[in-house]
């Protein structure tokens, strides 16, 4: 089942590679069919998932027996929502890219390869496999930015490539350190969590921890490793930005929860306060810089730095509570909030990048916030969805972002009360930034330049309405998703106590 | 010497016979590509006697001067595959550039024979002779294009540097003989423990110049970019793969058999040389515009990576690591050079910016080149990734974590110039949209290189098994 979900997109990509260049329609249809099929199977997996059943749908085959590498997949309440999120955003991105006409074949192939890589990262339970999928996501993204990006695409693409490669190679060393200290040597993530091979070797544990930290922190990105992000986001094509913000960033936070926290809990606890401070800096810095932006895409990009800061605050709080049973409840709440925020950010910010694309790609061809004004009357549907997404992003109660942020603050207050108090002020900045943006774009007198702008067409509605609906549903009734996440997180916290 | 000794060297006899036979075929036919095809067939057939050696136990033959062990067999296989691929590529590349086409293939097969001898010699006289043999044919091959000034320069430069390096190495051998009174490696190993350390260090240092020259290790690397640039592209490919591999074979055999028992701290020496080679090669590769010079500097940096495998030649990861790296690197590096040969032939240029728009003009070659570049950087799932994974793991397993970190940093640096080629092919606008002709034999060689790169990356188990059986290096 999981293999099918992961490799269906790649299969489609390979078929597309062998189609003649002229059959563009067939290529797009294959891409849509394969990514939709992947989504359907992932939803099927959700319906068959048993809450509290631990790792499920496991597949395990021997791959390179002489170094104990297995092809091992499995999902729990942490990875399953991320897999569904990946599948959803991928399908929507294919729909959005329907009008893509530049080098379509390569575009679709790379896109589907990217989807396979991302799904694989979330499902892999063997470090060797995890590393391969992790690296596989880098290459297509480099091409997506480098070929279909904006004016400074080459710079942004190579910067993204180099930054993330530094991280992944640091991770490779950390993986090898874990491998050689486990007895018997193993790449199995579950086995490494059970063995805790570095529990009695603080120096090696610290080395491994910082290796993983570098890799994940660059991916998240945490302040001060975030500088690749605005460049990559701004230059990437719309669907690329959506995937980048919606999913690739989550690979970093997923790594912290899946790897750093359970495998090196003692070391993580020792540095938890420091990491929480970095997260706090990201929250405040991201919000302030976003407020100063006039480029809509850059604004959303910096708001990502801000939101990922919340996620990291929640994770760091959980790490700070390791070994302290009195704080276990707070840790579980913080982790639930952090994972919920991952999903919420994927849906909301993914939606926001689509929104920027709708305006920029086919209508105004500018992203300057100050150049608009009064669009509310001219583009009612567009304005409605944008306002909804921005309100969700700033954390308005009743929408998805609020649930996530509330849980993160609630949980981390029990562990780092002062830091959390400062972090809450970040919400004020975020709110100010988005409200001000809404005002500048949609309110006021209509700028005559945009008097002939058309509202969203059917295909654009098809990409954005599902996301808007999800924001509302999970904002009002987060229980099903939260139960799923909580099943995995409470287990993790229990194991760490 | 007995009849069974002769049976054990059938592969060598076969290669020698093949090379002479090729000269005869060249005399009798006007279609020179036929000579190349016969060479490929003959090389592939030699796999049969080589394979039959796999089942036999490790031993020395011909008065203890020649090893028949898994290690030697591995390098025979590697050399034969590399030679066959290079001959295939040359069949399309050479016509029109040189009128001495048939001899070219014969010389390549003679070189292959020399490389095979190098990897298996257990006597310093035989070792010196086989290194000289390889050098002589390589000088000729590097300067093969008589009308081409750069090729002439390459030949002369290779000769001058090579002669000097060989002379220094021979001096090192002579000291070793003076210290122990034997030319046989195993005899030397028995007596080396009593030799005075300073003289032994001097001898090792002098010998390293010869091996270092063959594997383009810093500080014996200066010839590499000029020779690769000027030499015929298939020859450059051959030097960067087969000749390098045989150099590593001889180096490892010398270190393991002779130096290891001698109380020397050779590991630190090799580790430092490895770090310097990786870093310097990489930094010098960054500003290159010519693809062959870039590949030359990158091959220096890969020599550094391979030296990690030498420094960590112990344990489950270290020992097969070097061999796995060499085999994976062979396919990738040959493939990259074959694309360079194709472009050089079709566009008449080796400049990376002229690769602009290649993804439209020669989509298959461009895709393969992208795979080769990513493989050389060390991206999974490709063959060089498996090699790098193994040597880095070996380094960590043997307490050389610092060297692994140097390797990782260098991998990141190397991405910049490898991605530069990809950028030219895929991102930069094409100067023209005329599709390029992609000749058949070159395409076959390119396809095999690409297949090897990806298959080893996706399913490395057979290669790992082969390398593990090959690490049975005969020691005392």
């Amino acid at each position: 089942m999981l293999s099918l979900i992961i490799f269906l997109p790649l299969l489609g990509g390979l078929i597309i590679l062998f189609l003649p260049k002229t059959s563009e329609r067939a290529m797009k249809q294959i891409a849509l069919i394969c990514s939709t099929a992947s989504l359907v199977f992932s939803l099927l997996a959700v319906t068959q998932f048993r809450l509290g059943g631990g790792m499920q749908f496991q597949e395990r085959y021997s791959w390179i027996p002489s170094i104990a590498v297995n092809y091992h997949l499995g999902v729990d309440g942490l990875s399953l929502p991320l897999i569904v999120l990946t599948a959803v955003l991928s399908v929507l991105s294919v729909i959005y890219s329907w009008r893509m006409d530049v080098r379509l074949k390569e575009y679709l192939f790379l896109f589907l390869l990217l989807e396979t890589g991302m799904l694989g990262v979330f499902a892999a339970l063997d470090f060797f496999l995890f590393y391969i999928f992790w690296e596989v996501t880098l290459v297509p993204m480099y091409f997506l930015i480098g070929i279909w990006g904006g004016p400074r695409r080459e710079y942004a693409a190579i910067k993204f490539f180099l930054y993330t490669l530094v991280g992944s190679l640091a991770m490779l060393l950390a993986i090898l350190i874990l491998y050689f200290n486990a007895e018997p040597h193993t790449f199995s993530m579950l086995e490494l969590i059970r063995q805790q091979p570095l529990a009695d070797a603080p120096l090696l544990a610290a080395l491994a921890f910082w290796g993983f930290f570098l890799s994940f922190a660059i991916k998240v990105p945490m302040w001060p490793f975030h500088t690749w992000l605005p460049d990559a986001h701004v230059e990437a094509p719309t669907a690329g930005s959506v995937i980048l913000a919606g999913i690739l960033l989550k690979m970093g936070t997923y790594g912290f929860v899946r790897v750093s926290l359970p495998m090196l809990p003692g070391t993580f606890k020792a540095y938890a306060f420091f990491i929480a401070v970095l997260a706090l800096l990201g929250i405040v810095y991201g919000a302030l810089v976003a407020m100063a932006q006039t480029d809509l895409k850059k604004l959303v990009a910096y708001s990502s730095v801000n939101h990922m800061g919340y996620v990291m605050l929640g994770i760091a709080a959980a790490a700070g509570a390791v070994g302290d049973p009195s704080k276990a409840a707070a840790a579980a709440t913080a982790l639930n909030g952090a994972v919920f925020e991952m999903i919420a950010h994927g849906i909301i910010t993914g939606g926001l990048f689509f929104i920027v694309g709708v305006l920029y790609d086919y209508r105004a061809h500018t992203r300057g916030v100050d150049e608009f004004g009064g669009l509310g009357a001219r583009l009612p549907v567009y304005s409605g969805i944008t306002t909804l997404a921005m309100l969700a992003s700033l954390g308005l109660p009743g929408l998805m972002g609020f649930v996530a942020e509330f849980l993160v603050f609630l949980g981390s207050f029990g562990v780092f009360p002062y830091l959390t108090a400062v972090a809450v002020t970040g919400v004020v900045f975020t709110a100010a930034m988005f409200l001000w943006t809404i005002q500048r774009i949609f309110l006021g007198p209509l700028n005559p330049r945009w008097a002939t702008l058309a509202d969203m067409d059917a295909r654009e509605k098809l990409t954005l309405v599902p996301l808007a609906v999800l924001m509302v549903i999970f904002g009002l009734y987060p229980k099903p998703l939260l139960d799923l996440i909580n099943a995995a997180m409470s287990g993790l916290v229990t194991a760490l106590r | 010497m007995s009849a069974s000794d002769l049976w054990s060297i059938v592969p060598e006899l076969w290669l020698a016979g093949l090379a002479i036979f090729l000269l005869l075929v060249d005399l009798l036919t006007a279609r020179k590509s036929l000579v190349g095809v016969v060479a490929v067939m003959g090389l592939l057939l030699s796999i049969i006697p080589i394979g039959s050696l796999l089942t036999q136990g490790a031993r020395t033959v011909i008065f203890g001067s020649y090893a028949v062990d898994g290690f030697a067999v591995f390098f025979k296989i590697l050399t034969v595959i590399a030679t066959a691929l290079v001959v295939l590529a040359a069949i399309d590349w050479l016509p029109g550039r040189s009128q001495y086409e048939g001899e070219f293939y014969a010389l390549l097969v003679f070189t292959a024979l020399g490389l095979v001898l190098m990897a298996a010699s257990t006597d310093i006289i035989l070792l010196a002779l086989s290194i000289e043999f390889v050098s002589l044919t390589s000088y000729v091959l590097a300067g093969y294009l008589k009308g081409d000034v750069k090729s002439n320069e390459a030949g002369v430069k290779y000769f001058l540097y090579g002669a000097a390096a060989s002379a220094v190495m021979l001096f090192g051998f002579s000291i070793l003989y003076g210290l122990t009174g034997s030319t046989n490696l195993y005899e030397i190993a028995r007596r080396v423990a009593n030799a005075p350390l300073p003289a032994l260090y001097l001898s090792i240092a002098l010998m390293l110049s010869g091996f270092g020259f063959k594997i383009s290790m810093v500080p014996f690397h200066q010839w590499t970019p000029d020779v690769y640039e000027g030499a015929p592209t298939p020859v450059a490919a051959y030097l960067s793969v087969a000749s390098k591999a045989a150099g590593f074979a001889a180096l490892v055999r010398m270190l393991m058999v002779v130096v290891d028992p001698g109380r020397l701290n050779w590991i630190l020496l090799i580790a430092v040389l490895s770090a310097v080679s990786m870093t310097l090669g990489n930094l010098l590769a960054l500003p290159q515009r010519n693809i062959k010079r870039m590949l030359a500097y990158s091959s220096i940096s890969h020599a550094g990576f391979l030296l990690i495998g030498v420094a960590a030649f112990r344990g489950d990861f270290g020992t097969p690591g070097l061999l796995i790296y060499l085999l994976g690197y062979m396919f990738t590096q040959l493939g990259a050079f074959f694309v360079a040969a194709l472009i050089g032939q079709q566009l008449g240029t080796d400049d990376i910016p002229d690769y602009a728009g290649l993804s439209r003009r020669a989509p298959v070659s461009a895709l393969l080149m992208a795979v080769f570049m990513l493989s050389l950087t060390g991206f999974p799932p490709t063959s060089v990734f498996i090699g790098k994974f193994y040597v880095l793991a070996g380094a960590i397993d043997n307490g050389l974590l610092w060297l692994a970190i140097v390797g990782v940093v260098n991998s990141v640096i190397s991405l910049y110039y490898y991605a530069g080629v990809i950028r030219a092919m895929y991102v930069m606008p094409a100067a023209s949209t005329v599709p390029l002709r992609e000749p058949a034999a070159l395409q076959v060689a390119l396809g095999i290189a690409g297949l090897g790169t990806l298959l080893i990356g996706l399913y490395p188990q057979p290669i790992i098994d082969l390398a593990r059986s090959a690490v049975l290096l005969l020691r005392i």
Side-chain angles (χ1 to χ4, degrees):
Chain A
M1 177 88 133
L2 287 177
S3 293
L4 206 60
I5 296 174
I6 294 173
F7 287 107
L8 266 175
L10 181 63
L11 178 73
L14 290 176
I15 295 173
I16 288 173
L17 216 50
F18 287 102
L19 285 178
K21 230 175 235 163
T22 43
S23 50
E24 297 203 336
R25 202 175 165 72
M27 286 187 219
K28 291 182 207 166
Q29 279 163 347
I30 288 174
L32 186 60
I33 289 169
C34 287
S35 54
T36 311
S38 184
L39 173 63
V40 169
F41 280 114
S42 69
L43 291 174
L44 206 62
V46 173
T47 60
Q48 293 179 1
F49 189 84
R50 283 177 301 108
L51 279 184
M55 278 294 167
Q56 294 172 41
F57 307 108
Q58 289 200 38
E59 294 173 27
R60 190 180 168 139
Y61 308 100
S62 181
W63 180 14
I64 313 176
S66 47
I67 49 174
V69 169
N70 292 299
Y71 175 82
H72 189 183
L73 302 174
V75 289
D76 63 359
L78 167 64
S79 41
L80 190 57
L82 287 166
I83 284 178
V84 177
L85 175 73
T86 309
V88 169
L89 286 182
S90 298
V91 171
L92 297 181
S93 298
V94 171
I95 296 175
Y96 181 86
S97 306
W98 210 259
R99 275 185 290 192
M100 169 65 68
D101 44 11
V102 187
R103 298 166 81 170
L104 182 75
K105 187 180 190 170
E106 291 156 288
Y107 180 84
L108 290 175
F109 169 73
L110 289 167
F111 203 90
L112 293 168
L113 176 65
L114 180 62
E115 185 182 352
T116 289
M118 296 182 300
L119 291 168
V121 166
F122 295 130
L125 290 180
D126 182 285
F127 257 136
F128 196 86
L129 189 64
F130 178 79
Y131 183 76
I132 288 184
F133 280 126
W134 183 280
E135 294 280 88
V136 162
T137 60
L138 289 191
V139 180
M141 202 63 210
Y142 166 77
F143 282 107
L144 286 176
I145 300 174
I147 299 179
W148 293 274
R152 288 169 67 241
R153 55 179 178 257
E154 288 186 18
Y155 169 76
I158 192 75
K159 190 170 178 181
F160 164 80
F161 215 8
L162 286 171
Y163 257 78
T164 41
L165 186 67
V166 171
S168 26
L169 286 168
M171 172 163 75
L172 182 63
L173 288 183
I175 290 175
L176 287 172
I177 292 176
L178 279 177
Y179 174 82
F180 282 116
N181 285 284
E183 204 52 57
H185 295 348
T186 178
F187 286 108
S188 160
M189 293 159 103
L190 300 181
E191 178 64 19
L192 286 169
I193 291 172
R194 202 185 56 72
Q195 277 197 18
Q196 296 289 329
L198 296 177
D200 307 317
L203 184 68
L204 279 178
L207 265 174
F209 178 80
W210 289 113
F212 283 121
F213 176 82
L214 193 62
S215 173
F216 300 146
I218 288 176
K219 205 84 184 178
V220 169
M222 289 186 77
W223 188 91
F225 303 106
H226 66 281
T227 57
W228 63 269
L229 178 115
D231 287 312
H233 267 316
V234 169
E235 301 306 323
T238 297
S241 298
V242 171
I243 294 298
L244 193 57
I247 299 153
L248 287 184
L249 306 190
K250 307 303 175 297
M251 284 165 46
T253 45
Y254 172 79
F256 277 111
V257 182
R258 172 68 81 221
V259 177
S260 303
L261 198 51
M263 282 182 210
L264 303 157
T267 325
F268 202 165
K269 180 183 167 66
Y271 300 114
F273 186 77
F274 173 69
I275 291 171
V277 171
L278 288 186
L280 180 66
L281 284 169
I283 292 172
V284 177
Y285 172 88
L288 286 177
V289 176
M291 212 179 334
Q293 299 304 320
T294 52
D295 180 328
L296 196 52
K297 218 170 177 182
K298 232 176 189 164
L299 184 145
V300 180
Y302 276 108
S303 85
S304 283
V305 177
N306 162 274
H307 281 99
M308 296 314 277
Y310 296 135
V311 180
M312 284 314 299
L313 182 65
I315 297 172
V322 166
D324 187 347
S326 66
K327 289 180 182 166
T333 311
L335 268 184
N336 281 332
V339 178
F340 198 89
E341 173 84 59
M342 290 189 212
I343 309 294
H345 179 261
I347 292 175
I348 297 169
T349 307
L352 282 173
F353 276 113
F354 277 132
I355 284 167
V356 177
V358 165
L359 198 58
Y360 174 77
D361 290 345
Y362 302 111
R363 290 188 176 71
H365 303 293
T366 175
R367 299 186 299 247
V369 178
D370 295 328
E371 295 176 46
F372 296 102
L375 290 189
R378 181 72 217 154
L379 310 169
V381 182
Y382 180 75
S383 310
I385 288 182
T386 310
T387 311
L388 181 78
M390 288 190 171
L391 292 178
S393 187
L394 67 81
L396 188 77
L399 294 170
M400 206 175 174
F402 171 75
V403 182
E405 284 170 26
F406 182 75
L407 286 173
V408 168
F409 290 139
L410 191 64
S412 52
F413 192 79
V415 184
F416 299 129
Y418 298 109
L419 284 183
T420 308
V422 183
V424 175
T425 61
V427 178
V428 180
F429 296 126
T430 321
M433 159 187 93
F434 277 121
L435 290 175
W436 195 30
T437 309
I438 292 172
Q439 184 195 354
R440 281 184 290 175
I441 296 183
F442 298 113
L443 306 180
L446 179 66
N447 183 339
R449 232 172 108 191
W450 313 120
T452 56
L453 233 48
D455 207 344
M456 298 205 312
D457 62 23
R459 194 164 295 127
E460 287 162 351
K461 282 180 194 156
L462 201 57
T463 28
L464 275 166
V465 170
L467 292 177
V469 171
L470 285 176
M471 288 174 215
V472 178
I473 288 181
F474 287 126
L476 294 173
Y477 189 59
K479 188 171 179 299
L481 179 56
L482 216 46
D483 283 348
L484 190 60
I485 295 169
N486 188 47
M489 291 305 107
S490 55
L492 175 59
V493 170
T494 315
L496 292 177
R497 190 159 47 180
Chain B
M1 182 160 162
S2 63
S4 73
D5 280 10
L6 270 183
W7 277 114
S8 306
I9 56 165
V10 166
E12 286 79 3
L13 296 176
W14 174 269
L15 286 178
L18 176 66
I20 294 166
F21 181 65
L22 289 177
L23 290 175
L24 287 177
V25 176
D26 182 42
L27 269 182
L28 297 176
T29 177
R31 278 189 52 220
K32 301 301 180 191
S33 62
L34 183 68
V35 187
V37 174
V38 173
V40 173
M41 302 288 228
L43 285 164
L44 292 183
L45 281 178
S46 76
I47 297 280
I48 298 170
I50 295 174
S52 75
L53 291 177
L54 272 175
T55 53
Q56 302 173 17
R59 63 184 184 285
T60 58
V61 295
I62 318 180
F63 314 111
S65 66
Y66 199 70
V68 180
D69 54 10
F71 193 72
V73 170
F74 181 87
F75 281 95
K76 288 192 212 327
I77 296 174
L78 191 149
T79 307
V80 164
I81 297 176
T83 315
L85 285 175
V86 169
V87 170
L88 258 183
I91 289 177
D92 276 329
W93 191 85
L94 206 57
R97 289 172 197 261
S98 170
Q99 45 177 324
Y100 305 105
E101 216 185 312
E103 291 89 335
F104 186 84
Y105 307 122
L107 272 172
L108 274 176
V109 176
F110 272 126
T111 318
L113 171 63
L115 296 172
V116 164
L117 291 173
M118 240 172 103
S121 301
T122 54
D123 187 290
I124 48 180
I125 305 256
L126 185 59
L127 184 57
L129 284 176
S130 50
I131 290 179
E132 283 311 295
F133 179 14
V134 170
S135 299
L136 281 177
T137 49
S138 305
Y139 301 150
V140 179
L141 283 170
Y144 209 74
L145 306 179
K146 278 204 278 188
D148 182 340
V149 182
K150 285 210 158 168
S151 179
N152 280 313
E153 182 195 331
V156 172
K157 217 165 211 164
Y158 197 31
F159 172 70
L160 289 176
Y161 276 99
S166 296
V168 176
M169 180 185 67
L170 282 175
F171 193 46
F173 283 172
S174 71
I175 294 179
L176 200 58
Y177 175 75
L179 289 173
T180 57
S182 173
T183 58
N184 183 288
L185 293 191
Y186 299 100
E187 279 302 311
I188 297 174
R190 255 179 229 115
R191 301 176 192 171
V192 79
N194 302 321
L197 268 186
L200 204 53
Y201 266 117
L202 180 66
S203 157
I204 307 292
L206 296 176
M207 283 191 297
L208 270 181
S209 82
F211 299 125
F213 173 78
K214 278 272 173 274
I215 64 178
S216 342
M217 171 183 82
V218 175
F220 309 107
H221 67 284
Q222 287 97 339
W223 60 276
T224 317
D226 293 332
V227 172
Y228 283 15
E229 187 191 358
T233 310
V235 174
Y238 196 63
L239 291 180
S240 78
V241 170
S243 170
K244 187 180 286 236
F248 270 102
L251 174 66
V252 168
R253 195 178 282 280
M254 183 63 100
L255 288 174
M256 287 304 135
V257 176
V258 172
V259 182
D260 207 33
R263 301 167 294 145
L264 294 178
N265 190 0
W266 61 271
I267 293 177
L268 184 65
L269 178 69
I270 295 290
V272 169
L273 287 171
S274 154
V276 175
S277 296
M278 278 190 281
T279 313
L280 200 69
N282 257 333
L283 293 180
L284 291 173
L286 285 175
Q288 301 302 326
R289 279 169 55 92
N290 181 301
I291 185 101
K292 285 160 80 180
R293 289 187 81 84
M294 186 277 268
L295 286 172
Y297 282 112
S298 102
S299 92
I300 295 170
S301 141
H302 280 282
F305 258 102
L306 286 157
L307 282 170
I308 301 182
V310 178
F313 200 76
R314 279 177 313 286
D316 271 355
F317 272 88
T319 6
L322 173 72
L323 304 183
I324 293 168
Y325 198 121
L326 273 172
L327 200 64
Y329 171 75
M330 176 193 82
F331 283 111
T332 306
Q333 177 84 351
L334 283 181
F337 263 112
F338 292 163
V339 175
L342 176 88
I343 305 304
Q345 186 195 33
Q346 300 291 320
L347 295 179
T349 169
D350 288 330
D351 276 352
I352 296 171
D354 291 331
Y355 282 47
L358 211 62
S359 60
R360 321 291 285 162
R361 303 181 68 183
V364 177
S365 301
L367 181 64
L368 284 172
M369 188 65 161
V371 171
F372 296 141
M373 290 296 117
L374 293 173
S375 175
L376 286 174
T377 316
F379 272 95
T382 59
S383 57
V384 179
F385 163 70
I386 301 290
K388 280 196 178 176
F389 179 82
Y390 250 90
V391 295
L392 291 178
I396 294 178
D397 198 21
N398 285 300
L400 290 167
L401 182 61
W402 68 270
L403 192 58
I405 292 174
V406 174
V408 159
V409 171
N410 272 296
S411 283
V412 177
I413 300 174
S414 72
L415 171 67
Y416 187 78
Y417 56 83
Y418 291 130
V421 179
I422 296 178
R423 171 175 155 262
M425 294 190 304
Y426 280 89
V427 178
M428 278 159 52
S432 136
T433 52
V434 188
L436 292 183
R437 204 174 64 82
E438 295 171 286
L442 198 53
Q443 280 299 86
V444 172
L446 204 50
I448 295 171
L451 215 58
T453 301
L454 285 175
L455 279 185
I456 295 178
L458 285 171
Y459 190 61
Q461 188 58 41
I463 299 301
I464 295 172
D465 288 339
L466 177 68
R468 286 199 157 179
S469 70
V471 298
L472 286 171
L473 186 147
L474 196 58
R475 308 190 199 191
I476 43 169

